[in-house]
Amino acid sequence: MYRRRRRAYFVMMGICLVLFVSAWAFVRLWSMPAAIAMCVVAMVIPPVAAMVANRKGPEDRWWDDPTATPPRPHVRLDKGEATGDPESDAWWDELDGKKRRP
């Protein structure tokens, strides 16, 4: 999958370079608006190429560790319950003027 994304990125960037160089090398001699339009199209290609190259596929595991357990959802503090993070709980208790018993 990585190979296909990398190939797509380089193809798109190659098209971008060809459009830009050909627009100002010889297309401008025949039509200045066409050369400008080619440059505008070439300007849009790099962000699209970056999105294609960095897209996460269904079988890719980039940001998540398969061995890690999912984090517990935090509970709202206004209910008086702990969030599960002792440091955060102590900080909120200090702000609220409470003292948490260990």
Side-chain angles (χ1 to χ4, degrees), residues 4 12 18 24 26 31 39 44 52 56-57 63 67 73 75-76 80 92 98-99:
R4 182 173 27 194
M12 291 175 80
V18 167
W24 295 113
F26 57 87
S31 173
C39 284
V44 172
V52 167
K56 180 180 176 185
W63 296 289
T67 61
V75 179
R76 292 181 53 190
W92 280 107
K98 300 180 197 174
K99 288 192 175 185

Side-chain angles (χ1 to χ4, degrees), residues 1 4-5 55-64:
M1 186 55 78
R4 182 173 27 194
R5 285 193 316 257
R55 182 178 47 149
K56 180 180 176 185
E59 68 279 348
D60 292 339
R61 300 190 71 90
W62 288 358
W63 296 289
D64 55 344

